[in-house]
Amino acid sequence: SRFDLLEAAGAGRAKYFVLAVDGVEESMQVVKTVKAHFPNLKIFARARNRGHVFDLLDEGVTHIKRETFDSSIYFMKDLLIEMGYEPERAKNLVERFKEHDELMMLEQYKVRHDDKTLVSVSKQSVAQLAQVLNDEAQRTYVAPALSIAESEESHTIN
């Protein structure tokens, strides 16, 4: 978060700044310093949790990854496959969850200062997620059948 160290490290010539500081407060101080002294740097930030994401968004940071989110959902994909789900179906479930969660996080961000509305949006989010995942579970993942011509070609011996 020290201007002199950032400058000595080349922040003035850089295009990108990767922020991966453990403490939320410390990370936000770095963002403020970078934004104040190196406004052209694109910040790619790792966030600890939803609240940290909201703080980063407040500061204009838009390239954000939550610390354990991606690894957790892809770990879940592996578990679903181990439990018997087809890999494509597990991938689709995880992707649908990820899309829904990211959209709901942005909706929660919009109302984060109104506790009553935030709780309402969060409850709606849970109900919507259940519906999204139920709809995904109802889909059938059957590979398309080969056409007669393709089937005959695949059995032709040359």
Side-chain angles (χ1 to χ4, degrees):
S1 64
R2 287 182 33 201
F3 167 72
D4 60 327
L5 292 177
L6 291 168
E7 188 173 51
R13 298 180 310 278
K15 292 181 182 180
Y16 307 100
F17 184 84
V18 176
L19 177 65
V21 177
D22 283 336
V24 173
E25 289 178 24
E26 294 86 354
S27 120
M28 295 311 299
Q29 184 56 48
V30 172
V31 167
K32 289 175 183 173
T33 302
V34 169
K35 288 282 193 180
H37 297 284
F38 310 100
N40 294 327
L41 273 177
K42 286 186 181 177
I43 300 174
F44 284 72
R46 180 188 73 192
R48 302 279 301 189
N49 53 44
R50 264 178 149 68
H52 191 195
V53 170
F54 296 164
D55 292 343
L56 290 164
L57 289 169
D58 282 344
E59 293 298 324
V61 177
T62 57
H63 301 285
I64 305 168
K65 286 288 183 187
R66 285 178 282 165
E67 192 170 78
T68 59
F69 185 73
D70 283 346
S71 63
S72 296
I73 62 171
Y74 292 113
F75 180 75
M76 185 53 58
K77 180 184 76 117
D78 292 344
L79 176 60
L80 290 169
I81 292 168
E82 179 66 26
M83 292 170 59
Y85 282 73
E86 291 295 322
E88 188 66 22
R89 184 174 184 204
K91 177 182 168 235
N92 288 337
L93 280 168
V94 165
E95 288 302 317
R96 292 293 304 264
F97 175 83
K98 182 178 178 182
E99 289 170 16
H100 177 79
D101 185 73
E102 289 172 354
L103 288 171
M104 287 303 101
M105 184 170 50
L106 292 175
E107 290 303 311
Q108 291 168 333
Y109 174 71
K110 293 175 188 176
V111 297
R112 69 195 175 285
H113 299 299
D114 179 346
D115 290 342
K116 186 176 181 180
T117 305
L118 180 61
V119 168
S120 176
V121 166
S122 298
K123 285 181 180 179
Q124 289 173 5
S125 171
V126 170
Q128 288 172 351
L129 178 60
Q131 185 62 49
V132 164
L133 295 179
N134 186 50
D135 290 349
E136 190 66 33
Q138 298 301 316
R139 291 185 182 182
T140 303
Y141 294 97
V142 177
L146 293 175
S147 69
I148 295 173
E150 291 171 321
S151 179
E152 289 172 358
E153 286 175 17
S154 67
H155 290 86
T156 303
I157 302 173
N158 293 325

